[in-house]
Amino acid sequence: IFIDRVRDYNLLSGYEDYKIENSNPCAEFFGNAYNSCNLGSINLYHLVIDKFTPNARIDWKKLQEITDTAVRALDEILDYGYELQPLDENRKCIDDWRAIGLGIMGLADMFVAMGLRYGSDESICLAEAVVHSIMEEALRTSCQLAKEKGAFGKFDWEKTKKSKI
């Protein structure tokens, strides 16, 4: 893991007061001091329609719906666990940043169900499209949550625009 790349390429890299300083043990989550590991995963295998047939394909609408639900659920977990945080600094970090992490699992199984060779050009393009779709929908849902509940405490559009993602 190249920590400089992790620090430079995240949605909060435009904020000088947000610095990635830690990870969870498996390193799928990186955060600033006092952040929590609030993670969820989307099982891609379950998004394949007509598995193991020539017509196998991704249910893109279902992927969007699941992404929306997952982002909302992870956001609710921040509220649910707020008072259970052991330190005032943990609660302040939630107020300031409201960090969540949404990932994937079942990528290889998805490829098998669709008859794609792992690492082929087609599988790489599909993986890119899936992750792009998740990112786009997660951002859309996050914007909607900001309209409904207010933006995270340190939100500043000018700083967000400076982020490299």
Side-chain angles (χ1 to χ4, degrees):
I1 293 175
F2 298 100
I3 195 65
D4 57 331
R5 298 288 287 175
V6 172
R7 286 179 176 150
D8 287 344
Y9 290 92
N10 69 79
L11 290 172
L12 299 174
S13 62
Y15 291 77
E16 289 181 19
D17 53 343
Y18 185 86
K19 182 178 179 189
I20 291 178
E21 298 178 301
N22 59 46
S23 77
N24 69 335
C26 296
E28 74 263 26
F29 175 83
F30 292 91
N32 60 335
Y34 302 104
N35 214 324
S36 62
C37 180
N38 183 18
L39 304 177
S41 293
I42 296 173
N43 188 336
L44 300 179
Y45 175 77
H46 292 297
L47 296 171
V48 179
I49 300 169
D50 294 330
K51 294 174 179 70
F52 307 106
T53 72
N55 297 322
R57 64 197 180 281
I58 299 296
D59 186 338
W60 295 101
K61 183 173 175 17
K62 186 175 179 181
L63 177 59
Q64 287 180 320
E65 291 168 359
I66 289 171
T67 301
D68 177 78
T69 299
V71 168
R72 289 178 179 279
L74 290 167
D75 184 71
E76 287 296 320
I77 289 169
L78 291 173
D79 294 335
Y80 175 80
Y82 188 83
E83 293 301 324
L84 301 173
Q85 296 302 312
L87 302 171
D88 290 340
E89 290 88 345
N90 298 118
R91 288 183 288 281
K92 181 167 176 19
C93 188
I94 290 171
D95 291 338
D96 288 349
W97 305 107
R98 294 197 69 79
I100 63 169
L102 181 57
I104 61 170
M105 63 183 188
L107 179 68
D109 296 327
M110 177 186 75
F111 292 154
V112 170
M114 295 181 74
L116 300 176
R117 186 178 58 80
Y118 192 98
S120 67
D121 289 344
E122 189 177 2
S123 72
I124 291 168
C125 287
L126 178 60
E128 184 178 279
V130 166
V131 173
H132 180 80
S133 177
I134 292 169
M135 175 90 166
E136 193 173 84
E137 187 63 29
L139 288 172
R140 188 177 298 116
T141 301
S142 292
C143 289
Q144 185 60 41
L145 283 169
K147 288 179 185 176
E148 295 167 13
K149 299 169 76 172
F152 59 91
K154 296 243 181 174
F155 176 76
D156 179 323
W157 177 240
E158 294 306 315
K159 292 178 182 178
T160 301
K161 286 193 309 187
K162 291 179 186 177
S163 298
K164 294 182 182 179
I165 284 191

